[in-house]
Each structure stands twice: as structure tokens, then as C-alpha cells.
Amino acid sequence: MKPSRSILDKDPKKAPTGINGLDEITGGGLPHGRTTLLVGGPGSGKTILALQFLVYGALECREPGIFVAFEETSKSIVANAESFGWQIGELQDEKLFFVDAQPKPELIQAGDFDLGGMLAGLEALIQQMGARRIVFDALDMVLALLPDAAAKRREIYRLHDWLLAHEVTGIITLKAGGDESETIGQNPFSFMQFMVDCAVILNHCVVLGVSQRSLRVQKYRGSSFDENESAFLIGKQGFEVAVARTLDRVDAEVTNERISSGVSRLDTMLGGGYYRGSSILITGFSGTAKTTLSGTFAEAACGRGEHTLFVSFDSDGSEVIRNLASVGIHLEQHVNNGSLRMVSARAITGSAETYLVRIKTLAKEHQARCLVIDPVSTWSKSGNDLNVHSVAERLIDWSKAEGITMVCTRLLDEMSSLAEGSSPLVISSLVDTWVHLNYLVQAGERNRGLSIVKSRGSAHSNQVRELILSNDGVTLADTYTAGGEVLMGTLRWEKERAERVAHEAVDDVVKLKRVKLDAEEAELEVRLKSLQVELQAKQLEKASLLRATQSHAGELSRSRTRMGELRGADAEEQAP
């Protein structure tokens, strides 16, 4: 139940509540040593919020607490809180003390009545425990016993002064007149909102048949705070308040790492695949293979050994596994080895906040690095428009902060446009990559096309590719144009066949020409060889003639020399 540590422990004048989101809204927690009023209708979560405040103080802040119950018994409160896993049993008496102060039904007030006796007992308990936090739950139950408004006002001021004198951080819970926040001002104890240092209003209502819970900090003396209404959910660990990105929040870490979409040609179109930690939206009409494309991503992620969470709002997990196996996507093996978790969201009912918190919890439990939500458009039917869009923003912010690569599909209505029409869930402007799937009907066939509308930070293809599903898996094929019309399916096949025939004809012509050129080349080589032989013979003949001439001249010279020797002639007289 630990909240984000981004702003906690920065201001010693504030007492952290341990509630994710509420401490961000209040800038660190409730006013330390002062009083906070918690107002809400039945079932709005006042008791849970107040008890979580005490438990967190005892566990994390070393501030023992006291819970004064005017409505429910302490035994009932502890039993109801067991499902949150707060370990209240280990804290009781020494760090967390419960005081049962429920007025008895048969009690009839006569004469003067005040809270002095109870406060005196609490003072001794505070000194004994060293308590620094205290909660007065459902104070209106005991104040209702007082005879008039003046007496009620007197006891409220007595309690407020007592809290300030003992410098304990106090919470007073008070019932509103109903679910709507507008009725709170009509409560007979509404003047308390002017007296306390901090006032928080809880609202629980139904919008379009869907339960919605919201929280608003009405006032906070001496501190800035988020004045807007924020949705909250009571989950497995207690309160969780939804807040948007705050100014002091550190930007999510970005990386240039690419991961595969599961379709190699789509990776090429994206410049190498999806960015790690990015958000991807796949849109299209029913039957355009949105789930199939999500399945290829999940299979590729599991193949890399990354834990992946696949949340399906349309089908059970076993159905998704069976259906994807027909197109060569085998997820069952990854489910068996624990890398993939399939979750059917059909059983999740409630608001979009319920979906978000449930998915975040599942992702944390599975330690998921990749997430698939199929389709996220289901959330548009889960409450008011502004709330749904806010949930989508926080979903993307959360996934980026956790470094989770998220693929969401969105079902387009048959009458809607690519720009998502008037749907409240306009998520396309928030995501990093938008892949759009569509149909093209021609020549009696319906074929699927894929295009990338945007991909931030990537040089991506602007071409339309035909998406082909087969037993061997998912592939993309080039589309062809003829007379300005895109050809897919059989028409594309015929175009490819015509191009193959034309290519084969060109190949035949080239081969024939090559044979002719080879023959001519061979003929020239033969002629060249014959000329080389003839040239060699002439060269030999010339060399032989040269040798014969040189031999004759030498012999003639030797003969003259010998003749001179025989005649006894002087050397000088010898003929040259």
C-alpha cells in the first residue's frame, strides 16, 4: 500500500496518507497536527480512507493511531478491512487502537451532554500510546443525540480545540445527504467545512448505469492542491486515486531499442519495429485482423522471453488461443511456460477506472514487459466521456513510466471515420504508433489492407500493404495499382501472374540473344586462334630465315680468314 515516493516526505507539515494519488493531489498528505473533514454519502469509502490513513501512519511513519468508531463496531471494521491485507491484527492495541463509542439505541438524552468524558479518556490513551493520528468516524451519529443546533456546534468546537491542543493529526468523517456532492452543503453540520483546515468530499454516483466514484479536495489551508475532481477506486489494497501527470513528475525513460511486431515486413515499414516502451494503436472494423496482429506481437514478445499480459474484452483466453492457432500463431506453449498470461475481461464490470486498476494490478503480478488490450474501445461504454478519456491518458502514462510496450486495438464502428468520429475515447492522438486496418471490396472479394497512419520518431512507409492470413502465419504483400485503382486479392494475383509471364518472355528473348552472342563469340575465337597459328608460322619462318642468313655470313667470314692464313698474308692485308 505504499504510494509513489515522488513528493512524499518533502514537507514535515504534512502527514502522508499512503493512498496513491491523494498524496499527489494534496502535495504530500493531510495537514500535520491539524484537522481534516471527510464528507461523503453512504458507500463512498469514508471509513476505508480514514482507516488506511491510520494503518499507513503506524506502519511507515511510526505514528501510532486511534480509531474512534461511532457507528460500526471495531470488530466489524477490522473484519471488513481484512481483504486489503493491512495486517491490522499485528498493529492493534500498541500501534493502532480501536475505541467503540457507538451510542446505544435505547439511550434517551436528558439534561446536559458533552464529549468531555470521552475526550479525557482519549487524552490518557494518547499519552500511553504516543499516538499522533486519530480518526472520529461517523461523528454525526453521536451529535444527533444533542438537543439543538447550538449544542451540536458547541461540541464540534470542543472537539476541534481538543485536537489542536494535543497537536494530533485528526480526521473527522461525516455523512452527506446523499450521493451527489451538491447535497453536502445542506447537511446540518456543513459549518464544519469552514472550521477545519482541510476538507475532502467523496462522491459515489451512477452514470449511464455504471458506478462512478470521485474525490475532491474542497479546501486546504496554507497549501496548494489540485482543485479538480479525481476518480478513485477501492481495490485489493484499499483506496487508489486517479491523478493526471503532475508538474514535478520525472519524464519516463526513453530508449532507441526496437522490438519486433511479429511481422517482418511490418517491422521494415516501421523502420525496424516498435520502440521499446511505446504505445501502439491498431484500429479497424470488425474482422480486419486486429486481434491477429496483436497475437503476432504477443508471440514475438514471448519468443524473446519477455513476460506478456494479453487482456481480451471480446473472447475468453482459450478462444483467442484456438482462433489464432488457425493462422499459425501458437500462444498455448507460452501460456504453459508462464511467459504469457491470458485474461478475459468479460468478468470485469464497473467503470473504466476499474479496468485500469485491474490491468495495472495484473501487469504488476505478472511482471509484464509487454501488454495487449483487445479492444480498448470497450472502455467508451463504461461511464462519462471525460472520465474515459482521462483513464486512457493515465493508461498510456503508466505504461510509459513502467517501460511496458503496449498494443491496444480499437474497434471502429461501420459508420465511423478513420478520425474516430465522435467517440469519447480519442486515443489515437496519445499513442506513439497508429496502424490502421481496412477492407477493400472488388471483383466479388473482400481483402484486408494495412497502413501506418503515424509512428513518432520513425521514418515509416506511407504505402498500403495487403494483409494476408494463412495457415503459415501473417504476411504483408505489395499492392498494385492499375488505372489509379488499388488491386488486391485475385486481381493482384492476376496482375502478378501477368507480370511473371511478361518477365518470362523477356527472359526467353534474353536467353536467345545470349546463345547467338555465344555462337558469334565462339566463331570469332576460332578465327582468332587460326590467325594466331598463322602468325606463329610466319614468325617461325622469319626467325629461320634470319638464322640462315647469319649462318651464311659467319661461314663466309671464317672461310676468308682461313684462306688468308693459307696464303701467309699479313693480318693488315687481310680483307675486312
Side-chain angles (χ1 to χ4, degrees), residues 35-37 160 172 192-199 219 221:
T35 307
T36 297
L37 179 64
H160 183 247
I172 299 174
M192 293 178 63
Q193 296 172 328
F194 300 94
M195 178 186 67
V196 297
D197 297 289
C198 179
K219 63 178 289 189
R221 288 175 180 161

Side-chain angles (χ1 to χ4, degrees), residues 282-518:
I282 302 174
T283 60
F285 301 137
S286 179
T288 50
K290 300 182 299 298
T291 302
T292 302
L293 211 57
S294 301
T296 62
F297 170 75
E299 184 180 39
C302 293
R304 295 189 299 269
E306 299 175 4
H307 282 201
T308 303
L309 177 65
F310 194 115
V311 182
S312 172
F313 285 91
D314 286 342
S315 306
D316 291 336
S318 57
E319 291 180 341
V320 174
I321 293 174
R322 181 202 63 189
N323 296 340
L324 292 182
S326 66
V327 288
I329 302 172
H330 303 288
L331 300 181
E332 186 174 5
Q333 56 182 332
H334 302 298
V335 174
N336 294 336
N337 64 30
S339 60
L340 176 63
R341 183 172 182 181
M342 302 290 298
V343 177
S344 174
R346 285 181 170 182
I348 302 178
T349 58
S351 65
E353 294 291 345
T354 305
Y355 294 136
L356 176 58
V357 172
R358 179 63 173 155
I359 289 173
K360 289 168 67 174
T361 301
L362 291 170
K364 182 178 180 180
E365 292 175 353
H366 191 55
Q367 298 180 340
R369 295 203 68 192
C370 295
L371 170 65
V372 174
I373 302 178
D374 179 43
V376 74
S377 50
T378 303
W379 294 9
S380 61
K381 303 176 182 178
S382 304
N384 62 72
D385 294 358
L386 293 177
N387 185 50
V388 171
H389 186 70
S390 173
V391 171
E393 288 181 331
R394 283 182 281 110
L395 170 68
I396 293 175
D397 271 351
W398 163 77
S399 65
K400 288 181 179 294
E402 296 295 326
I404 295 175
T405 308
M406 180 178 64
V407 171
C408 298
T409 69
R410 185 185 185 283
L411 176 65
L412 296 180
D413 185 82
E414 295 294 341
M415 300 303 294
S416 67
S417 66
L418 179 61
E420 299 178 303
S422 59
S423 170
L425 187 62
V426 183
I427 193 175
S428 60
S429 60
L430 306 175
V431 297
D432 299 300
T433 299
W434 180 4
V435 178
H436 181 63
L437 306 175
N438 66 321
Y439 284 128
L440 182 63
V441 179
Q442 41 181 205
E445 291 183 345
R446 183 187 294 270
N447 298 292
R448 299 176 178 89
L450 179 148
S451 60
I452 300 173
V453 181
K454 72 171 186 178
S455 187
R456 292 171 179 161
S458 299
H460 53 278
S461 172
N462 64 348
Q463 300 297 304
V464 177
R465 299 286 191 272
E466 183 178 359
L467 184 65
I468 301 175
L469 309 182
S470 66
N471 295 334
D472 298 327
V474 181
T475 58
L476 294 176
D478 290 328
T479 55
Y480 290 84
T481 58
E485 184 179 7
V486 177
L487 304 181
M488 293 185 182
T490 302
L491 295 180
R492 175 184 56 79
W493 179 84
E494 291 178 350
K495 177 69 173 179
E496 289 177 336
R497 181 175 178 276
E499 288 189 351
R500 285 196 302 270
V501 171
H503 185 69
E504 290 173 357
V506 171
D507 284 346
D508 291 341
V509 172
V510 171
K511 289 179 181 178
L512 180 60
K513 184 65 175 177
R514 184 175 297 168
V515 170
K516 291 181 178 180
L517 290 175
D518 289 343

Side-chain angles (χ1 to χ4, degrees), residues 256-273:
N256 291 324
E257 180 186 357
R258 299 275 191 167
I259 60 176
S260 175
S261 65
V263 181
S264 58
R265 290 207 67 182
L266 179 56
D267 292 343
T268 302
M269 293 176 68
L270 291 165

